Amino acid sequence: MADIWVLTQPTEGGKRRGFVRADVITSVSGDGNRVRALRSDTQGVVSLAVGVTLGGRRKSLPSGFHVHFLQTLDEVQRDNSTRARAIMARWDMDQEEWQWVVEDVEDLAPRDF
């Protein structure tokens, strides 16, 4: 099975966006503002999704969004793809909802990964 990566979001400490391997995530929690994950390799907490303000309107994360992440991760793991995958939270402008999106790493722009 190929690597699975998860996009992390900046935290209050000013860390930049980046990617973490999914296999180092040991637990996930969330609320309307943020989905957090505990890393086994550093014992640190990273943000996987953060509610944002777009056009003056707050786009909070839906209830249970962290559970949707775990379901998405499980689906990607069961897929057994030989291609490296990336999971990331995105606000879908057309559907006006938060979604977990899965993309092939090779399809991402080099600056994104």
Side-chain angles (χ1 to χ4, degrees):
M1 180 164 66
D3 289 333
I4 302 170
W5 298 87
V6 182
L7 180 67
T8 63
Q9 300 298 318
T11 60
E12 293 85 12
K15 292 182 180 178
R16 301 179 312 145
R17 285 179 10 149
F19 283 90
V20 63
R21 284 192 349 259
D23 62 348
V24 302
I25 294 174
T26 58
S27 66
V28 178
S29 63
D31 57 31
N33 294 319
R34 186 177 311 271
V35 173
R36 296 174 188 85
L38 178 63
R39 295 179 58 154
S40 63
D41 57 346
T42 65
Q43 299 304 310
V45 175
V46 292
S47 291
L48 305 182
V50 178
V52 297
T53 301
L54 298 171
R57 291 184 48 213
R58 178 79 179 153
K59 307 297 183 194
S60 297
L61 300 173
S63 176
F65 196 57
H66 62 293
V67 175
H68 294 286
F69 166 75
L70 294 172
Q71 292 168 337
T72 301
L73 177 59
D74 184 58
E75 289 172 14
V76 173
Q77 289 171 331
R78 289 176 187 263
D79 184 33
N80 283 329
S81 176
T82 58
R83 300 170 64 116
R85 300 289 178 103
I87 301 172
M88 56 201 81
R90 286 206 183 131
W91 174 257
D92 185 304
M93 299 288 275
D94 295 330
Q95 295 184 19
E96 293 200 6
E97 68 180 10
W98 282 100
Q99 299 177 349
W100 289 105
V101 178
V102 178
E103 293 187 19
D104 289 338
V105 168
E106 64 185 40
D107 293 340
L108 298 174
R111 73 183 189 305
D112 290 337
F113 193 81

